[in-house]
Amino acid sequence: MARTKEFDPDAAVDKAMEVFWANGYAATTPQQLVDALGIGRGSLYNAFTSKRALYERALRRYYERETVRLIQVLDGPGPARERLRAALDLVIAAAVDDRERRGCMVTNAAVELADRDEVVAHLVRRTFERQEAAFRSTIEEGRRGGEISGDRDAAALAAFFLTTINGIRVLAKADPDPRRLSGLAETALSVL
């Protein structure tokens, strides 16, 4: 009797994340998911109930994998300015290394679905809020330590840095010139 192939839902979500990240939600077909995951269509729906449910899990996985790395840099040790620079450098390196020019899956989700899908909008807001809070915390540490001017509004600067990293990600989809992106990072740091 043939042994059934074991199915790893976590590995399947990782693979699905890559497909959705490359294509977006609407352009991803169930057949692309079946092919990428190496399972039958029935198994796909039995395991995840729908393409939509799988997309939500993939978006959460992206947060766990990609967004957490940015937050770890911002929450790490060292001077606040260096951590802010390291966070910008992380975003730039990811954008430059992204040969398929996929951008940020969360930013892509915001553009594609957040205006008409409350669950996606919630996931996007949660991600952006967490990133902004990490920027704000780092900026406030820099203010307390004298690295960042005390007359700067930490909340406004955090929102500015959130906007900057998302702008870098979007710009890099069309023009991933590392010199240009690094120049944007320098400009962002100059406002501190």
Side-chain angles (χ1 to χ4, degrees):
M1 188 166 156
R3 189 174 157 187
T4 59
K5 186 178 179 180
E6 290 190 30
F7 174 69
D8 180 353
D10 285 333
V13 171
D14 286 339
K15 291 175 185 174
M17 181 190 75
E18 295 294 333
V19 176
F20 285 125
W21 191 2
N23 301 312
Y25 175 75
T28 296
T29 66
Q31 189 60 50
Q32 287 172 312
L33 292 168
V34 164
D35 293 345
L37 277 58
I39 61 175
R41 194 174 291 236
S43 296
L44 175 75
Y45 290 108
N46 285 337
F48 301 107
T49 67
S50 68
K51 172 184 159 183
R52 182 72 178 70
L54 180 55
Y55 178 74
E56 288 175 23
R57 286 186 64 177
L59 198 54
R60 285 184 177 94
R61 179 62 50 87
Y62 180 87
Y63 173 86
E64 294 164 4
R65 193 177 93 181
E66 300 296 324
T67 300
V68 168
R69 291 184 343 159
L70 176 72
I71 293 167
Q72 287 172 336
V73 168
L74 289 167
D75 290 347
R81 276 183 175 273
E82 288 180 16
R83 288 183 281 145
L84 290 166
R85 179 64 207 212
L88 293 170
D89 287 345
L90 178 72
V91 170
I92 291 167
V96 170
D97 292 343
D98 183 7
R99 299 285 179 230
E100 292 101 19
R101 296 187 182 172
R102 298 172 296 179
C104 169
M105 188 175 173
V106 172
T107 305
N108 296 346
V111 172
E112 182 182 10
L113 296 170
D115 64 334
R116 61 185 178 278
D117 185 308
E118 188 50 43
V119 173
V120 171
H122 170 75
L123 293 170
V124 168
R125 274 193 311 271
R126 186 187 78 178
T127 300
F128 288 166
E129 287 167 359
R130 183 62 186 100
Q131 291 173 341
E132 189 171 349
F135 276 116
R136 183 175 182 166
S137 176
T138 304
I139 290 164
E140 287 172 344
E141 284 181 46
R143 288 177 65 191
R144 285 191 301 274
E147 295 176 69
I148 297 171
S149 174
D151 66 346
R152 301 287 184 184
D153 181 313
L157 285 172
F160 172 74
F161 272 85
L162 176 68
T163 302
T164 299
I165 64 169
N166 283 295
I168 287 170
R169 291 168 170 153
V170 171
L171 180 62
K173 288 180 78 158
D175 182 11
D177 178 1
R179 290 170 301 180
R180 183 174 188 195
L181 301 177
S182 185
L184 293 172
E186 289 300 325
T187 300
L189 292 167
S190 74
V191 304
L192 297 173

